[in-house]
């Protein structure tokens, strides 16, 4: 009889050179993000080419709403990832599984509720965005079908974040690749009704995304159990999927401010979309195409921030909090080099990229190129802010990043726009991006340099030990969040 496969162990991120570990861990995460962005871009190409500019503007409006929905529960996943990383760093496998189970159960329940409410509220949301009349019915159809995909998409995100907290960035990358291949393949088939598939128009694009998401989630779950990866739940551990008060205390306490950060970003995006829509369909289409390219510029910083957060969380759990500054420096250097290179590449070949979405003869192409020139480089600056937030998040700091984002995205960005709209015209809107990013990074640096949060990070292990000594017989470690 063949002996059972030994259970896979979480990968330690606390050993070896910091820069090398950060890069190796960031690459699969960056690959996952790039694949996801590529997926959205290819789908937008299909929509724009097969259905026209109004349909492309519709998907841009609908996608902003979807980002808002994801933000509402995404913070809980980030909070759980931090606590799981600390537990893995301390060698507490059961605690990590308890946290993962509670986070997964909570996110799926919330996602199901949001999907139902979103279906009903979709028209009101699009009216709030001042969606152009030509695009409104298309956006409504697209958005309502996409809402069906939310529970599966959130479960996939939570599973991927949990695996990364365990030091495994490869598995999420593999199954993101599967999802992208399926989505890209289904899109033209369902939009145009090729072969045995029905012709569904813009609803087909949304349905393709939903089908790809659920199929790849099922395949990933099978893979996790077949490989016996660290976060699999078996037997009595399946009860961890019922949210428990102890884990909920941390996930809600930290996750709400983290989710609020995402909500700030998405609400700022909604405000900008509303301002752009008031400039007319041409500006809406140009901005929608620009957003597709900007997703690529954001990806390096998001991947590096996630890697830095996972590394710092494991370092804190292992009692190596002095390693945090090394992780932060490495993250900033890699972000500036990589995001800077991607920005230069984008600005060099922007026309070739933009015509993929708008067509070579679209009057929106020159305006989209102008937007790129004025605003794209701001993502280099904003990436530094995101990396700083990543390491601070690992130490439980959630309020300072929230305040920084609130100031950078609203008083700074909108204040710049309204103050200079009369003299700069439409350009005030595009230049408000770099101005807001500059304000945010200066405030983030000031917050990071404060020493108080490092002392709290060093106290996490003693505090957890004290909680364990008072526990009610459970083996899982606990610690009270400091908000």
């Amino acid at each position: 009889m063949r002996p059972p496969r030994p259970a896979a162990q979480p990968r330690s991120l606390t050993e070896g050179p910091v820069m090398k570990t950060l890069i190796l861990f960031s690459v699969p995460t960056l690959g996952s993000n790039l694949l996801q962005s590529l997926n959205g871009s290819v789908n937008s190409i299909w929509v724009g080419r097969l259905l026209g500019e109004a349909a492309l503007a519709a998907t841009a409006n609908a996608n902003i709403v979807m980002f808002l929905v994801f933000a509402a529960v995404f913070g809980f996943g980030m909070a759980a990832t931090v606590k799981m990383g600390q537990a893995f760093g301390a060698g507490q496998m059961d605690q990590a599984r308890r946290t993962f189970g509670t986070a997964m159960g909570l996110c799926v329940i919330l996602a199901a509720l949001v999907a139902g409410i979103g279906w009903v509220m979709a028209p009101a949301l699009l009216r709030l965005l001042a969606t152009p009349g030509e695009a409104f019915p298309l956006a409504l159809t697209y958005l309502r079908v996409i809402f069906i995909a939310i529970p599966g998409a959130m479960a996939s995100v939570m599973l991927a974040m949990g695996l990364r907290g365990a030091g495994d960035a490869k598995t999420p990358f593999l199954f993101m690749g599967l999802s992208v291949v399926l989505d890209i393949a289904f899109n033209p088939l369902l939009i145009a009704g090729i072969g045995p598939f029905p012709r569904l128009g813009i609803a087909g694009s949304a349905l393709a995304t939903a089908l790809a998401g659920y199929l790849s989630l099922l395949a990933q779950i099978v893979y996790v159990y077949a490989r016996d990866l660290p976060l699999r739940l078996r037997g009595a551990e399946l009860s961890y999927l019922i949210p428990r008060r102890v884990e909920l205390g941390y996930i809600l306490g930290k996750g709400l401010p983290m989710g609020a950060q995402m909500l700030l970003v998405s609400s700022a995006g909604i405000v900008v979309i509303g301002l752009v829509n008031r400039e007319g369909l041409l500006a809406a289409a140009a901005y929608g195409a620009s957003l597709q390219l900007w997703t690529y510029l954001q990806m390096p910083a998001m991947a590096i921030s996630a890697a830095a957060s996972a590394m710092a969380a494991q370092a804190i759990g292992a009692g190596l909090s002095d390693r945090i500054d090394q992780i932060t420096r490495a993250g900033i250097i890699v972000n500036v080099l990589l995001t800077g290179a991607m920005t230069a590449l984008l600005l060099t070949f922007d026309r070739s990229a933009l015509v993929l979405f708008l067509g070579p003869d679209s009057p929106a192409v020159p305006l989209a190129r102008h937007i790129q020139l004025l605003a794209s480089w701001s993502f280099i600056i904003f990436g530094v802010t995101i990396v700083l937030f990543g390491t601070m998040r690992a130490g439980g700091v959630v309020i300072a990043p929230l305040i920084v984002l609130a100031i950078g995205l609203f008083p700074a960005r909108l204040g710049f726009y309204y103050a200079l709209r009369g003299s700069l015209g439409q350009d005030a809107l595009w230049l408000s991006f770099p101005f807001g990013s500059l304000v945010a990074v200066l405030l983030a640096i000031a917050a990071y340099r404060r020493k108080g949060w490092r002392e709290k990070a060093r106290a996490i292990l003693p505090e957890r030990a004290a909680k364990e000594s008072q526990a009610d017989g459970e083996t899982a470690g606990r610690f009270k969040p400091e908000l």
Side-chain angles (χ1 to χ4, degrees):
M1 180 177 179
R2 179 180 295 179
R5 178 195 296 268
Q9 297 299 310
R11 176 190 173 190
S12 174
L13 301 175
T14 60
E15 302 170 354
V18 169
M19 180 71 78
K20 180 180 179 181
T21 302
L22 179 76
I23 292 174
L24 291 177
F25 189 67
S26 296
V27 167
T29 303
L30 176 59
S32 296
N33 293 341
L34 288 173
L35 281 175
Q36 191 170 25
S37 297
L38 177 64
N39 185 26
S41 297
V42 173
N43 290 350
S44 293
I45 292 171
W46 286 123
V47 169
R49 289 299 184 90
L50 295 177
L51 300 175
E53 290 179 355
L56 181 61
T59 60
N61 279 261
N63 286 335
I64 286 290
V65 176
M66 292 311 303
F67 186 79
L68 176 65
V69 170
F70 271 81
V73 291
F74 196 65
F76 302 136
M78 290 191 291
T81 300
V82 168
K83 192 177 183 186
M84 283 186 284
Q86 292 172 352
F88 285 131
Q92 298 176 337
M93 184 71 73
D94 188 65
Q95 174 61 63
R97 287 175 179 158
R98 287 177 184 270
T99 301
F100 172 74
T102 291
M104 177 64 83
L106 175 66
C107 286
V108 170
I109 291 170
L110 289 177
L113 290 173
V114 168
I117 295 171
W119 177 281
V120 175
M121 296 299 295
L125 290 170
L126 293 173
R127 281 193 292 268
L128 184 64
L129 286 175
T131 303
E134 306 97 311
F136 190 95
L138 294 170
L140 179 59
T141 300
Y142 182 86
L143 184 58
R144 279 184 159 167
V145 178
I146 281 291
F147 269 121
I148 298 172
I150 284 183
M154 284 309 307
S156 295
V157 168
M158 189 62 247
L159 181 55
M161 294 176 74
L163 289 168
R164 290 182 186 121
D168 179 6
K170 180 181 177 180
T171 298
F173 170 70
L174 293 176
F175 287 92
M176 175 57 69
L178 174 62
S179 177
V180 168
V181 169
L182 292 174
D183 198 358
I184 290 175
F186 283 142
N187 248 270
L189 299 177
L190 291 172
I191 290 174
I194 298 174
F197 294 91
R199 183 171 184 171
L200 300 177
I202 198 167
S205 179
L207 182 59
T209 298
L211 287 174
Y214 280 109
L215 289 173
S216 63
L217 172 62
L218 178 62
Q220 189 169 8
I221 291 172
V222 171
Y223 181 85
V224 165
Y225 279 86
R227 302 279 297 185
D228 201 19
L229 298 184
L231 290 182
R232 92 293 179 270
L233 303 177
R234 297 184 186 278
E237 293 175 339
L238 291 172
S239 66
Y240 296 169
L241 291 169
I242 301 173
R244 300 173 68 253
R245 182 180 61 82
V246 174
E247 280 74 28
L248 278 177
Y250 184 90
I251 291 173
L252 293 176
K254 297 297 186 183
L256 286 173
M258 290 182 189
Q261 293 175 34
M262 301 291 290
L263 287 171
L264 278 174
V265 173
S266 59
S267 61
I270 287 176
V271 170
V272 172
I273 280 283
L275 296 173
V276 171
N277 285 339
R278 286 168 174 82
E279 299 288 342
L281 183 60
L282 187 67
Y287 184 67
S290 295
L291 284 177
Q292 291 296 325
L293 300 185
W294 286 346
T295 56
Y296 292 96
L297 296 186
Q298 297 177 62
M299 290 303 103
M302 299 299 292
I304 294 163
S305 177
S309 187
M311 290 176 64
Q314 286 201 16
I316 290 169
L320 302 173
S321 58
D322 292 340
R323 191 175 167 95
I324 291 176
D325 285 339
Q326 300 175 46
I327 294 170
T328 303
R329 283 193 296 271
I332 290 174
I333 291 170
V334 175
N335 167 74
V336 170
L337 293 176
L338 189 53
T339 306
M342 290 184 67
T343 301
L345 188 65
L346 171 62
L347 293 178
T348 301
F349 300 102
D350 59 340
R351 178 176 176 79
S352 299
L354 290 167
V355 297
L356 292 174
F357 307 105
L358 299 168
D361 300 322
S362 172
V365 172
L367 177 57
R369 296 189 69 193
H370 183 67
I371 293 171
Q372 294 292 317
L373 181 63
L374 294 184
S376 293
W377 59 274
S378 67
F379 290 98
I380 303 173
I381 304 172
F382 195 69
V384 175
T385 303
I386 297 301
V387 173
L388 292 172
F389 286 174
T391 49
M392 293 169 68
R393 182 169 64 238
V397 179
V398 293
I399 299 299
L402 182 62
I403 294 172
V404 168
L405 279 179
I407 295 173
L409 294 174
F410 287 96
R413 180 186 288 182
L414 295 181
F416 181 93
Y417 168 72
Y418 284 112
L420 298 176
R421 178 67 174 86
S423 58
L424 296 178
Q426 196 181 95
D427 284 353
L429 185 55
W430 320 130
L431 289 172
S432 69
F433 283 84
F435 181 79
S437 296
L438 182 61
V439 171
V441 77
L442 293 175
L443 292 175
I445 290 170
Y448 180 85
R449 290 172 65 88
R450 295 182 63 185
K451 296 181 179 180
W453 71 272
R454 289 178 178 80
E455 298 303 322
K456 290 181 181 179
R458 293 189 181 96
I460 284 177
L461 282 180
E463 186 176 355
R464 181 186 293 145
K467 290 291 182 182
E468 286 174 355
S469 68
Q470 301 169 13
D472 56 359
E474 294 176 339
T475 58
R478 302 180 178 89
F479 63 97
K480 179 181 177 182
E482 294 292 340
L483 296 179

